Amino acid sequence: MTGGFSEPFTPLPLRERRRALLLPLAGESVAAGFPSPADDYVETGIDLNEQLIARPSSTFFLRVSGDSMIGAGIHHGDLLIVDRSVEPRHGRVVVAVVEGAFTLKRLVRHQGRLRLEAAHPAYPHLELSDAEDTRLWGVAIHVIHPL
């Protein structure tokens, strides 16, 4: 849905030409269950830009403010990687512009209608058909947060 308003800001896309930053990648995966023997060597390097950003010209970083998506593992202060070229569809976490302000919610089809749902019980759902000034801006593809 679109509405007539100016966005709070227009972030610039990542540059198409990226300089590779290879970080060490251990030759073994880490066991999250039972321990496995560790190798003391590095097998190859990994570039996080290549792993996390498929389309630089449509990808943006946004900082999360608030706790409405904490049930989805997205916390206040986290860094989101948002791709505007990904199709917003049922089940995806989207960045929407509602009445001129950004909001982060899960896009859900409920009883044949689309709505934005928070992942925290204190926040109400927003029916898209009821919102006069709402636009789906992009899809969150990764979240980065400290442990």
Side-chain angles (χ1 to χ4, degrees):
M1 304 177 124
T2 60
F5 64 90
S6 61
E7 294 181 12
F9 70 95
T10 304
L12 299 175
L14 296 174
R15 285 181 263 154
E16 282 293 333
R17 292 175 13 127
R18 297 177 286 189
R19 186 176 135 193
L21 174 61
L22 294 179
L23 301 173
L25 174 65
E28 293 288 323
S29 58
V30 63
F34 294 103
S36 70
D39 289 333
D40 290 332
Y41 65 92
V42 173
E43 184 173 294
T44 185
I46 184 171
D47 181 349
L48 291 178
N49 286 320
E50 288 181 14
Q51 295 297 310
L52 301 177
I53 301 170
R55 292 168 293 279
S57 63
S58 62
T59 302
F60 300 85
F61 291 94
L62 291 173
R63 185 74 62 188
V64 175
S65 175
D67 62 355
S68 71
M69 293 302 290
I70 201 159
I74 303 171
H75 304 90
H76 176 79
D78 284 353
L79 187 63
L80 285 179
I81 301 175
V82 178
D83 189 336
R84 295 194 70 192
S85 71
V86 173
E87 179 186 348
R89 59 178 197 233
H90 171 77
R92 290 198 166 149
V93 175
V94 299
V95 175
V97 181
V98 179
E99 297 179 7
F102 283 115
T103 189
L104 181 70
K105 302 288 183 272
R106 187 171 306 278
L107 183 63
V108 175
R109 182 171 302 282
H110 179 74
Q111 297 179 347
R113 297 171 63 178
L114 287 175
R115 69 183 185 189
L116 298 173
E117 291 186 356
H120 190 294
Y123 295 87
H125 305 310
L126 174 65
E127 299 290 335
L128 290 181
S129 59
D130 296 340
E132 293 179 19
D133 197 8
T134 300
R135 182 172 56 147
L136 300 179
W137 190 83
V139 175
I141 56 173
H142 297 286
V143 60
I144 301 169
H145 67 261
L147 296 177

